[in-house]
Amino acid sequence: MATSKSTFQKRQKEMKRQEKARMKAERRAQKKLAGPSEDEPLMEPLTGPLIDPEGLFSEPDPEN
């Protein structure tokens, strides 16, 4: 009878996993409907090259 107990445990584990996935999808949907929160800044699309006024991004030195 060990196999039926094993099968039952596997089924319970799978059901728990599916429920967790369902809850996660529900939370995502709620978050999407709510839109960005006040703490989250809106994302701005990048449309051109980055400007580096402080010179932090420089070309790598050639290793030759």
Side-chain angles (χ1 to χ4, degrees):
M1 277 253 188
T3 58
S4 65
K5 183 177 180 183
S6 167
T7 303
F8 178 76
Q9 288 173 338
K10 285 181 183 179
R11 192 173 77 226
Q12 291 295 95
K13 184 177 179 180
E14 179 65 16
M15 289 174 64
K16 192 174 186 180
R17 185 193 64 78
Q18 287 177 349
E19 180 64 23
K20 187 175 179 181
R22 197 174 9 261
M23 295 298 288
K24 186 174 182 180
E26 195 175 307
R27 283 193 307 271
R28 277 193 199 141
Q30 288 296 324
K31 190 172 182 181
K32 189 174 183 179
L33 287 174
S37 67
E38 294 175 9
D39 297 338
E40 274 184 50
L42 293 175
M43 295 179 69
E44 297 178 16
L46 297 176
T47 57
L50 294 176
I51 300 172
D52 184 18
E54 297 174 7
L56 298 175
F57 302 116
S58 61
E59 293 295 320
D61 295 331
E63 294 181 12
N64 296 353

